[in-house]
Amino acid sequence: MYFCLKYYKCNIFVLQDFGIPESSIVKAPEIYTLGSNTVYERLCKLKETPELASFVNNPQVARLIYYHTKVNSRLKYLQSKNCVSLNLLVTNNYSFNRFNCNGNDKGKTNDIMIYLTKELGESKNKLRSLLERHPYWQYISLLTIRKSFEFLKKNNFTKDQLCHCSQILLYPVHKIKDALVITEKMKNVSYLRNMSGSIKSEYLLPLVLYNLEKDYHFSGDGVWNTNEKTKKIRLSDSPKATFEDTEELDHEPSTKLL
């Protein structure tokens, strides 16, 4: 493949300004055939789209930028199936249609692992073993997990606390907020409180998780919003548009070698 030196240098600077390392860029060298303005606009759009912003630190993020048109045409459909994964957003038509037939995609859990290992600084094996204790962890969107992580981080919970109670990240923020209030009002836990009367931080998240699940008999159903668990999506709702594996370029690629 041939690249224009001008696009190469400009795109390097644009991508690095958004915190995307060169190790991620090499996963999709085709991105160097796009103009720097196009790359910049697509990066801005990516960061403005909650579901896509979760992939900013994913090693494959450059593919989202290059396959921008394909990604956006598939996103709404995958949202309706609660199955947004980077793999499905950029994969070829054959693999995407196969997913439509059997509904099986392993990329979603991989996206979760990549995100959490980056944010919590723990190994995939450790985090997976902790999350697998929850029966529905594979069905929770990365967006839900990211929002819950950011909320708890802003409330001064440490990475170590979030790691040891990582299942709490599977619950939506509004439920965590309610459970925090309920937890602080719990009786018969005075021995867990500090001098100011608040529950000590090292005990707070396990108690919050307890309150999130106690009304559901600790079945794991507390992660769902009303009727969300039984929501059915018909495969016939799949987009009728066909998806190409390459993007229409915004310029004529240079035929000169670097």
Side-chain angles (χ1 to χ4, degrees), residues 149-163:
F149 172 79
E150 291 175 350
F151 167 74
L152 291 167
K153 183 180 178 181
K154 287 180 181 178
N155 280 270
N156 300 317
F157 290 100
T158 67
K159 290 184 178 182
D160 187 58
Q161 291 168 345
L162 292 173
C163 179

Side-chain angles (χ1 to χ4, degrees), residues 73-74 93 96-97 100 237-244:
S73 63
R74 290 179 177 179
N93 289 340
F96 187 78
N97 291 332
N100 270 341
D237 291 335
S238 174
K240 296 181 180 179
T242 58
F243 302 103
E244 298 296 334

Side-chain angles (χ1 to χ4, degrees), residues 25 45 51 139 251:
I25 303 171
K45 182 66 175 178
E51 290 80 5
Y139 301 96
H251 64 281

Side-chain angles (χ1 to χ4, degrees), residues 156-158 161 192 194 198-206:
N156 300 317
F157 290 100
T158 67
Q161 291 168 345
L192 299 179
N194 55 30
S198 299
I199 294 177
K200 296 177 182 177
S201 59
E202 60 265 35
Y203 302 117
L204 188 52
L205 289 184

